[in-house]
Amino acid sequence: MNCKYLLSLLILGGLMTACGDDEPDSKLEQNEQYTTMSIYAGEEGSTGASVSKYNMTYNLLGGDVTIQCASLSIGHSNVSFETASVPFSTAVIQDSYVVNTIHVSSHVPMTSAGVKIDNLSMYLTNGIYDLKRPAPGVSNEYSFSVGLFMQYTLNNTYKVKSMPVDVCYGGSTVTSFPDSNTDGMSAYQSDDMMYRIVFNTSRKTADVVLYDAKFAPAAPALKGIVLRDLAVEFTSDAGFVVSGTDIVPETFEGTDASTPNPRYSFNSFSIASSNSDLTKVRCEYTVATVFKGSFEGSAVRPSK
């Protein structure tokens, strides 16, 4: 047995174990459950999302997995299904993190009747940004160190995409601002700012947290900014847009309390998925009428 192969799977699941020739059979199968937000887009422009749970049973020797979903809310219906064994691939990305992937471009073998799944693609990794930094008043119920990004076609009708309910994106932020030294506009770039989205699917809202926010060289660095209850729109390609206007944010330094701070009012804010598997986003906003920010980032950390 390939020891590195087995360990990579166990680490991805958040577990550690010994690896040796005398490993008992009970260690050759591993069961993991992932709570996600499943977004759907169907006929006649129907869209929506709900919190769903996927249960995966890995055959560590055979290199395949079965996927079970007990209740997937699509419109006014609940769909349950279980696949037969599907091959997956495991890779260690430059010793930085582990990735499991599935790509099935045709019909997925099923054990449950009445449900058809096609075009299954999965990206599962412990390489997501996992800040472990709570924000006052923002739920940590769905915070997890492993990210599941999965998409498939359901019953020839619905495009379904699943992603973490609580997700954080890192990348590069560029802010333009009036500069008295140049009598024009200057740009400031920060690679430290992080953008966290915590979705509330039942209300179609989201809280957005900006960590280590700094909009200009002379501006103070803020440990955290919270934009609460922004509107969420689910799109025809099963993506998302989180947006709002005239937002008075709350700023915080620690984890106990946040304070409304009109000095940093957001005239507009929008963050939206920008690739098919929802691992990347683009963000645009204006702060206090003078700072115009743009951000492109990924939920997956860059490799070393």
Side-chain angles (χ1 to χ4, degrees):
M1 179 176 185
N2 186 325
C3 182
K4 182 177 181 181
Y5 171 77
L6 174 58
L7 279 177
S8 67
L9 287 170
L10 297 175
I11 294 169
L12 177 58
L15 303 174
M16 293 296 291
T17 186
C19 184
D21 295 336
D22 58 348
E23 189 175 56
D25 289 342
S26 62
K27 294 290 184 67
L28 303 182
E29 186 176 275
Q30 183 172 329
N31 186 272
E32 295 288 342
Q33 188 175 86
Y34 307 97
T35 300
T36 73
M37 176 177 70
S38 289
I39 307 170
Y40 68 86
E43 297 175 338
E44 300 178 354
S46 61
T47 60
S50 63
V51 174
S52 55
K53 292 184 178 180
Y54 292 92
N55 191 77
M56 298 189 183
T57 303
Y58 296 95
N59 176 358
L60 302 184
L61 282 179
D64 55 56
V65 61
T66 60
I67 303 172
Q68 181 184 47
C69 187
S71 182
L72 176 67
S73 180
I74 300 288
H76 299 292
S77 302
N78 287 322
V79 178
S80 299
F81 65 81
E82 183 175 354
T83 73
S85 296
V86 180
F88 68 92
S89 298
T90 298
V92 179
I93 308 300
Q94 296 183 8
D95 295 324
S96 297
Y97 47 80
V98 181
V99 172
N100 285 343
T101 56
I102 291 174
H103 295 287
V104 181
S105 58
S106 57
H107 178 58
V108 177
M110 306 293 290
T111 60
S112 52
V115 179
K116 182 182 179 183
I117 289 179
D118 297 284
N119 306 315
L120 173 65
S121 177
M122 182 190 80
Y123 188 94
L124 178 68
T125 181
N126 63 346
I128 60 172
Y129 286 102
D130 182 30
L131 293 181
K132 302 293 187 187
R133 289 171 58 183
V138 178
S139 173
N140 287 314
E141 179 181 359
Y142 300 110
S143 181
F144 194 50
S145 60
V146 174
L148 170 63
F149 299 86
M150 184 164 61
Q151 54 186 314
Y152 52 88
T153 303
L154 177 67
N155 293 337
N156 296 323
T157 302
Y158 293 100
K159 181 181 292 183
V160 180
K161 296 184 180 182
S162 297
M163 62 174 289
V165 186
D166 184 340
V167 60
C168 190
Y169 296 90
S172 180
T173 298
V174 177
T175 308
S176 62
F177 60 95
D179 189 344
S180 58
N181 295 323
T182 62
D183 294 325
M185 301 293 289
S186 292
Y188 173 74
Q189 179 174 332
S190 171
D191 296 331
D192 297 326
M193 288 180 63
M194 305 289 293
Y195 296 72
R196 177 186 174 196
I197 309 174
V198 182
F199 292 92
N200 185 322
T201 58
S202 62
R203 294 172 52 191
K204 288 190 176 182
T205 62
D207 291 336
V208 176
V209 185
L210 281 64
Y211 293 98
D212 298 320
K214 186 176 174 68
F215 302 117
L222 304 172
K223 289 294 184 183
I225 299 175
V226 183
L227 311 180
R228 298 195 191 278
D229 295 324
L230 301 188
V232 178
E233 177 187 358
F234 301 109
T235 66
S236 60
D237 63 349
F240 65 85
V241 179
V242 179
S243 63
T245 58
D246 300 324
I247 308 158
V248 177
E250 298 175 20
T251 57
F252 64 91
E253 291 296 323
T255 60
D256 296 331
S258 58
T259 304
N261 194 334
R263 178 182 177 186
Y264 292 99
S265 291
F266 282 70
N267 307 94
S268 62
F269 180 91
S270 175
I271 187 167
S273 53
S274 62
N275 67 338
S276 62
D277 65 10
L278 309 181
T279 58
K280 295 182 179 181
V281 292
R282 289 193 183 97
C283 182
E284 302 284 342
Y285 52 86
T286 301
V287 178
T289 71
V290 295
F291 302 106
K292 296 186 183 299
S294 64
F295 167 77
E296 292 189 9
S298 173
V300 182
R301 303 193 309 267
S303 57
K304 294 179 182 177

